[in-house]
Amino acid sequence: MIDQAWLDRAQKDGGRVSHLELLHAQFTGQDWSELEVRKSRFQSCTFTDCDFTGAAFYECLFSGCCFSECRLPGTFFQDCRIEGSKLDGADLRRVRLRRCALEDTLARYANWNAAVLDQCTLKNCDLTESALSECRLSKLSFDSVNLTGAELFKTSFRGLDLSRCTLDGVALSASCAELKGAAISAQQAAVVARVLGIRVVP
């Protein structure tokens, strides 16, 4: 069983664990910070008020997991998959994702400020009213991502295809520089026009 004592021993023994197989496990108030987790599978697990600050996950799968009131600032994910999971309200400041896939996942009201996403895929994800300011995005694929009401200040979407995403009510700078060089649909262009104060006449 992974309890706080087990985590404390893992941190003292170099902080590296691998090949965990956890199913329907529940964790409350645990400290996973600075741990390095490799090639592990988390299936239908619930994390409540847990601290993942500075942790690193490599080749891990999170399927049907729930992160409630969790802190993940500075956490690193590489070659990971997060599917059917819930990260609503999570603290994801400065999180770094490289070659990761997020699918059918809720991350509403989450704080992604200063996050780095490189070569990642987001599909059927809900980021409603999330904070995505000053993020660095590179070689991303967005498919059916809901960004309604999201704050996008100083995050460049240049070169990204947002045409299948929802952009209603997004918060942009006065010049909408965040969307310069991005591909958007005609319907989304009308939304951006409203942000700029332009009245679109049908």
Side-chain angles (χ1 to χ4, degrees):
M1 177 181 178
I2 295 181
D3 55 16
Q4 190 58 55
W6 187 94
L7 291 169
D8 290 342
R9 287 194 298 272
Q11 288 167 334
K12 290 178 181 178
D13 293 339
R16 297 181 180 178
V17 295
S18 63
H19 297 90
L20 299 177
E21 291 282 344
L22 299 176
L23 176 64
H24 297 296
Q26 296 190 24
F27 306 97
T28 301
Q30 290 191 353
D31 181 8
W32 291 69
S33 62
E34 305 299 333
L35 277 179
E36 181 181 298
V37 183
R38 292 182 177 269
K39 300 187 181 212
S40 295
R41 179 185 180 93
F42 300 85
Q43 175 77 45
S44 301
C45 295
T46 300
F47 300 89
T48 304
D49 190 29
C50 291
D51 187 1
F52 294 89
T53 302
F57 294 88
Y58 299 87
E59 298 179 71
C60 292
L61 169 66
F62 296 87
S63 180
C65 293
C66 178
F67 296 81
S68 177
E69 301 178 27
C70 289
R71 299 170 299 285
L72 298 96
T75 305
F76 179 66
F77 296 86
Q78 179 170 298
D79 298 315
C80 293
R81 182 175 179 83
I82 301 173
E83 60 184 27
S85 294
K86 188 174 180 180
L87 286 152
D88 286 347
D91 182 356
L92 298 164
R93 290 171 298 159
R94 303 183 309 282
V95 70
R96 293 173 295 153
L97 285 78
R98 186 180 186 198
R99 297 194 302 268
C100 293
L102 280 72
E103 187 169 351
D104 300 320
T105 288
L106 301 176
R108 299 166 296 186
Y109 325 111
N111 186 349
W112 295 80
N113 286 342
V116 178
L117 283 73
D118 178 31
Q119 304 172 68
C120 295
T121 300
L122 281 75
K123 183 177 181 180
N124 296 328
C125 292
D126 191 346
L127 275 62
T128 296
E129 295 189 27
S130 289
L132 290 148
S133 297
E134 300 185 22
C135 295
R136 284 190 290 158
L137 312 178
S138 176
K139 299 180 182 178
L140 298 192
S141 173
F142 284 92
D143 187 357
S144 301
V145 176
N146 189 348
L147 292 166
T148 299
E151 295 181 5
L152 309 180
F153 294 114
K154 297 183 180 180
T155 294
S156 175
F157 289 83
R158 178 182 292 275
L160 303 182
D161 184 353
L162 301 176
S163 61
R164 293 183 299 277
C165 298
T166 304
L167 299 177
D168 295 344
V170 293
L172 303 168
S173 61
S175 64
C176 293
E178 292 81 3
L179 298 181
K180 185 176 181 180
I184 62 176
S185 68
Q187 182 179 2
Q188 291 169 329
V191 173
V192 175
R194 287 197 296 271
V195 173
L196 289 170
I198 300 172
R199 185 166 62 91
V200 179
V201 180

